[in-house]
Amino acid sequence: MVTPETADPEQRDLLDATKRRLGRVPNLYATLVQSPAALRGYLALRDSLSDGVLTARQREQLALLTAQENDCDYCVAAHTMRGERLLKMTPEELRDTRLGRDADPHTAAILCVAAELVEQRGRVDDGVLEQARAAGVSDAELAETVAHVALNTLSNHFNHLARPELDFPAAPALDPEELAAMDLIWQNADLLELCDGYTADDADGVPASTLKDIRIAVQGGYLHVAHADDPRIQIVSAPGVRRIVYTRA
């Protein structure tokens, strides 16, 4: 880390500005300032996005979810603390955010897109985008979601490289079973229509090309389908999907 004693004038100015704004200099910043250009770039993007269309809560949720997806304990701790202290989020809301969930369908769709961005390296499945559109997510929100994932991936990856000492309270561990289910983000759908030649079992176990009142999850070019109270998961290739009508809250 760069300290006030070892900082050159440019580094010192950046660290002083950070302290004035945050009241402290997190170890991440004190390490990233090894390159003033890198820290300036990070701060410039962060500051620009603070004036975007996403709310302060959604921005913090994207930071927390991206850190969880990237296994960055430092940033999970930092954004858990910020969510709790600055946005008054409950422990349950913070846990749900780390698992890509939210009670608001609009925010849940944004988090779903963000998780897919990290997991698929930007190649978001058309089904996830359709789900986001159905929840009212705008083009501007999609663009900013990509930008927030990029911003927070920068800090996550730098933390993996530099391994600064944790100077925030450690975040609570998530339940292993919840983490195992995190890869699939389920949504309710009123209707699923499959293309000619494709079928999936309906609630009675009969092959059908149209299914109603189901749960679906999109991942890696495949649609995962489940009926209520049925532990079985059926998988359909994305080209076999003609139409999905998502449940609106």
Side-chain angles (χ1 to χ4, degrees):
M1 291 194 304
V2 175
T3 67
E5 293 74 29
T6 62
D8 63 29
E10 186 177 16
Q11 292 169 329
R12 189 174 298 112
D13 287 345
L14 276 170
L15 294 178
D16 287 346
T18 297
K19 187 172 184 179
R20 286 194 300 272
R21 180 162 183 170
L22 302 180
R24 58 181 293 194
V25 179
N27 289 343
L28 164 64
Y29 291 11
T31 311
L32 186 57
V33 80
Q34 289 282 359
S35 166
L39 181 55
R40 277 199 310 271
Y42 172 82
L43 294 175
L45 180 55
R46 186 198 65 182
D47 291 346
S48 178
L49 290 173
S50 69
D51 294 325
V53 297
L54 295 175
T55 67
R57 188 180 191 274
Q58 289 168 339
R59 296 196 300 269
E60 201 61 46
Q61 287 179 283
L62 285 170
L64 180 55
L65 175 62
T66 303
Q68 182 66 49
E69 288 279 350
N70 284 324
D71 296 322
C72 180
D73 292 340
Y74 185 99
C75 290
V76 167
H79 292 291
T80 294
M81 187 191 78
R82 284 177 56 85
E84 179 181 7
R85 295 186 182 179
L86 300 182
L87 299 170
K88 309 305 179 185
M89 295 176 67
T90 66
E92 292 75 20
E93 289 172 330
L94 292 165
R95 184 198 67 232
D96 283 348
T97 295
R98 292 169 65 184
L99 294 168
R101 303 189 302 234
D102 193 85
D104 171 47
H106 188 97
T107 298
I110 291 172
L111 296 178
C112 182
V113 170
E116 186 84 353
L117 283 166
V118 178
E119 294 168 7
Q120 303 301 326
R121 301 183 182 184
R123 295 176 178 85
V124 176
D125 189 273
D126 286 347
V128 173
L129 286 177
E130 184 177 345
Q131 168 190 316
R133 300 286 192 204
V137 179
S138 68
D139 285 345
E141 289 174 318
L142 288 172
E144 288 184 22
T145 297
V146 175
H148 278 283
V149 168
L151 171 71
N152 290 286
T153 295
L154 187 161
S155 61
N156 299 160
H157 286 191
F158 185 76
N159 276 312
H160 292 327
L161 172 70
R163 295 178 217 157
E165 181 179 351
L166 183 61
D167 51 343
F168 297 95
L174 293 178
D175 185 280
E177 292 186 3
E178 290 184 306
L179 281 173
M182 187 177 176
D183 289 340
L184 292 177
I185 300 177
W186 293 93
Q187 295 290 321
N188 294 324
D190 292 329
L191 180 72
L192 168 64
E193 291 182 355
L194 301 178
C195 298
D196 293 343
Y198 288 85
T199 62
D201 290 349
D202 63 17
D204 297 323
V206 178
S209 59
T210 300
L211 304 179
K212 296 181 179 181
D213 300 326
I214 55 174
R215 295 185 304 125
I216 64 172
V218 181
Q219 185 183 66
Y222 293 92
L223 187 71
H224 297 70
V225 182
H227 296 282
D229 303 322
D230 188 340
R232 295 176 301 164
I233 297 174
Q234 303 179 75
I235 298 176
V236 179
S237 177
V241 178
R242 172 175 289 148
R243 186 166 71 110
I244 302 172
V245 179
Y246 288 95
T247 302
R248 292 181 180 270

